[in-house]
Amino acid sequence: GMVWYVPIMTFPMICGLALDYGIFSLTRTSEYRKKGFTDEAAAIKSNYRINKTIAAAGVIMFAAFSGLIISGEDVLNEVGFCLCISVLLDTFVVVPLLLPALMSLTSRIKIGETNTLTWWPAKLDEGVREEDDMTEDCFTDDFHVESPPLGPQGHPPSPPPGLYYQTSPP
């Protein structure tokens, strides 16, 4: 059997881990929603973008918690087992599958004329992109930074004084 206080000990840790991945995913979804994507498109695009990061973090956490399983203490074995199973479920089932599905379903249920069950602000209707626009953006890199124009000697120009650093002592 299981020691009676193992579920009490592991439940707060499991909730913290689940909230961490969920907040990471929903923050990315919110960023795409603010860029003008619909609820469903934002959920799909953010899920596409962060799955590798969440999977890597989940595997690292699994490796860390599996060290408890090889311990000689029965309580630590039980805690390690509970944490390993919960991390794997959260990493490979809840965040990549259930969370986007739930976001997609709740965005279709209307409350009044403009609000849905998602927690996004209702005033995002101007310029909202359709799902068709999302598919071509899924495979492009949003984080491309163009290099600054080079100066006469092939080096970037120096910033104007006072913009990035103080020119005179305080």
Side-chain angles (χ1 to χ4, degrees), residues 83-159:
L83 290 176
C84 284
I85 295 299
S86 64
V87 163
L88 288 179
L89 282 175
D90 190 42
T91 301
F92 296 109
V93 176
V94 174
V95 173
L97 299 175
L98 297 180
L99 189 62
L102 184 65
M103 291 298 297
S104 178
L105 287 175
T106 56
S107 70
R108 295 178 187 185
I109 300 173
K110 299 286 185 189
I111 300 173
E113 289 186 23
T114 58
N115 291 337
T116 62
L117 286 180
T118 54
W119 51 274
W120 318 120
K123 189 103 171 134
L124 282 178
D125 293 334
E126 301 170 9
V128 172
R129 297 171 69 176
E130 294 297 323
E131 285 84 1
D132 295 337
D133 295 339
M134 185 270 315
T135 55
E136 63 192 37
D137 287 341
C138 244
F139 301 104
T140 60
D141 191 7
D142 288 343
F143 305 106
H144 176 69
V145 178
E146 293 189 18
S147 59
L150 298 179
Q153 286 135 0
H155 299 290
S158 59

Side-chain angles (χ1 to χ4, degrees), residues 2-138:
M2 184 177 271
V3 178
W4 66 272
Y5 56 85
V6 168
I8 297 170
M9 274 179 25
T10 57
F11 183 74
M13 289 187 267
I14 292 169
C15 287
L17 292 170
L19 282 174
D20 185 34
Y21 294 154
I23 288 173
F24 181 57
S25 176
L26 290 177
T27 301
R28 190 71 170 161
T29 304
S30 175
E31 290 172 3
Y32 284 119
R33 186 67 178 102
K34 288 176 185 173
K35 287 182 180 180
F37 289 95
T38 60
D39 290 341
E40 289 182 54
I44 292 169
K45 189 168 176 69
S46 69
N47 191 26
Y48 172 78
R49 289 286 187 191
I50 64 167
N51 270 348
K52 292 176 187 172
T53 306
I54 289 180
V59 168
I60 291 169
M61 293 300 290
F62 175 78
F65 291 142
S66 65
L68 295 173
I69 294 175
I70 60 174
S71 170
E73 292 287 324
D74 291 339
V75 174
L76 290 179
N77 292 342
E78 294 173 6
V79 169
F81 179 77
C82 290
L83 290 176
C84 284
I85 295 299
S86 64
V87 163
L88 288 179
L89 282 175
D90 190 42
T91 301
F92 296 109
V93 176
V94 174
V95 173
L97 299 175
L98 297 180
L99 189 62
L102 184 65
M103 291 298 297
S104 178
L105 287 175
T106 56
S107 70
R108 295 178 187 185
I109 300 173
K110 299 286 185 189
I111 300 173
E113 289 186 23
T114 58
N115 291 337
T116 62
L117 286 180
T118 54
W119 51 274
W120 318 120
K123 189 103 171 134
L124 282 178
D125 293 334
E126 301 170 9
V128 172
R129 297 171 69 176
E130 294 297 323
E131 285 84 1
D132 295 337
D133 295 339
M134 185 270 315
T135 55
E136 63 192 37
D137 287 341
C138 244

